[in-house]
Amino acid sequence: MEDAEQVLYAGRVKDEEGKFDEAFSLYQQGLEKLMEKLKQPTSSEKKDHYKNLLSTYLSRAEVIKKKKSRASVPQVQEIRIANDETGWSFAKLFTKPLADSPTHIRIQDPYLHARHQLSNLVSVCEVFARVRSVSHIRIITRTAPPGDQRTQQQKCMRDLGDSLEERQVTLVTNYSETLHDREIRFKNDNHVVWVAILGRGLDMYKKLPSWFHLGATDYTFRKCHEVTVTLTRG
């Protein structure tokens, strides 16, 4: 096998492994070598062979180039939710990030203490657990104040972890007393594919008149606080 063909073959291997940056670099090197081959005296049979290779790998390199170009430009969506607006369940809010089949999700919210806050946490984890690709969820929050809220928080994390484990999803909880930012990161093979910046964290819904009111389980019925959620892909 000629040197140019060896390099192109190595590029194809990287391409099939999904390592597109390495594949593109190897394709470039191989195509340059192939162009040099075409300038040299050789049989018409060899020239036809080189031209076929050139056409095939030029097309594939162009596809990767376009893919790399799209991936390098972050996609941003700003969702502005008005006061008392309804229809914004967690499933709807995170439709785009979940469509990219994340494997790891990190929820960062300093205020997961009160009953309704923990209820929101369980609800969003229910949405994430429905996505087959999700295998790990990490929660980073502040430790609840001593007393009933801390006991409630610890029980929630323990019971939620046990419940997720039944669906082959691992839950890890970390505590940071200096945490302030509210965001959710969606990763695929440890690469961040989406970041959701949450103005109010998971606590974006107004209090229900009672737990027997519409919205207790279906969040599309819940009234929202005024909030902006920014989704960034890249």
Side-chain angles (χ1 to χ4, degrees):
M1 186 183 285
E2 303 289 344
D3 287 346
E5 293 184 61
Q6 287 180 334
V7 176
L8 290 171
Y9 177 76
R12 192 176 75 186
V13 170
K14 295 297 183 184
D15 195 347
E16 290 172 352
E17 291 175 350
K19 299 176 180 177
F20 300 122
D21 286 339
E22 295 176 57
F24 185 73
S25 178
L26 288 166
Y27 283 157
Q28 281 186 311
Q29 295 174 42
L31 289 167
E32 287 174 7
K33 290 177 180 287
L34 204 56
M35 292 291 287
E36 290 300 318
K37 290 281 186 184
L38 278 167
K39 293 176 185 178
Q40 298 171 9
T42 187
S43 66
S44 58
E45 185 179 341
K46 277 279 189 183
K47 281 202 171 186
D48 287 342
H49 175 63
Y50 292 152
K51 286 178 181 178
N52 285 335
L53 284 177
L54 191 66
S55 175
T56 298
Y57 285 102
L58 267 175
S59 297
R60 184 55 196 164
E62 188 62 29
V63 169
I64 293 178
K65 184 178 179 181
K66 289 179 181 177
K67 185 179 292 188
K68 281 162 55 67
S69 177
R70 286 195 300 269
S72 64
V73 180
Q75 299 175 27
V76 180
Q77 178 187 14
E78 189 174 80
I79 301 171
R80 293 181 178 273
I81 301 174
N83 186 50
D84 284 340
E85 188 173 344
T86 60
W88 287 102
S89 65
F90 287 128
K92 180 179 178 180
L93 197 60
F94 302 124
T95 297
K96 287 188 176 181
L98 295 176
D100 273 349
S101 301
T103 56
H104 292 63
I105 297 176
R106 190 182 79 183
I107 302 168
Q108 188 170 298
D109 190 325
Y111 302 109
L112 297 174
H113 303 164
R115 183 190 186 283
H116 72 279
Q117 293 168 341
L118 295 171
S119 178
N120 289 342
L121 173 65
V122 173
S123 181
V124 78
C125 284
E126 287 175 340
V127 172
F128 296 159
R130 292 190 194 106
V131 181
R132 290 188 177 183
S133 61
V134 174
S135 59
H136 289 77
I137 296 175
R138 171 166 292 191
I139 298 168
I140 305 176
T141 188
R142 292 185 182 183
T143 306
D148 291 344
Q149 282 198 349
R150 183 172 298 183
T151 301
Q152 181 176 245
Q153 183 188 57
Q154 291 172 346
K155 179 173 172 54
C156 173
M157 300 307 175
R158 183 175 61 252
D159 292 352
L160 180 58
D162 291 343
S163 183
L164 286 167
E165 190 175 7
E166 292 176 4
R167 297 187 63 87
Q168 291 74 56
V169 178
T170 300
L171 177 70
V172 175
T173 304
N174 299 126
Y175 296 94
S176 170
E177 307 318 315
T178 57
L179 184 66
H180 181 269
D181 293 341
R182 300 162 176 86
E183 66 177 30
I184 300 180
R185 290 178 176 259
F186 301 82
K187 299 182 179 182
N188 195 324
D189 298 325
N190 292 321
H191 297 291
V192 177
V193 290
W194 283 92
V195 178
I197 306 298
L198 310 174
R200 298 181 63 99
L202 299 180
D203 198 2
M204 56 179 281
Y205 301 100
K206 292 194 171 182
K207 185 179 179 180
L208 292 172
S210 81
W211 289 106
F212 304 107
H213 196 273
L214 290 179
T217 58
D218 186 344
Y219 276 48
T220 58
F221 289 107
R222 290 205 181 190
K223 292 181 179 180
C224 295
H225 292 286
E226 182 176 351
V227 66
T228 298
V229 176
T230 304
L231 301 175
T232 304
R233 185 182 190 279

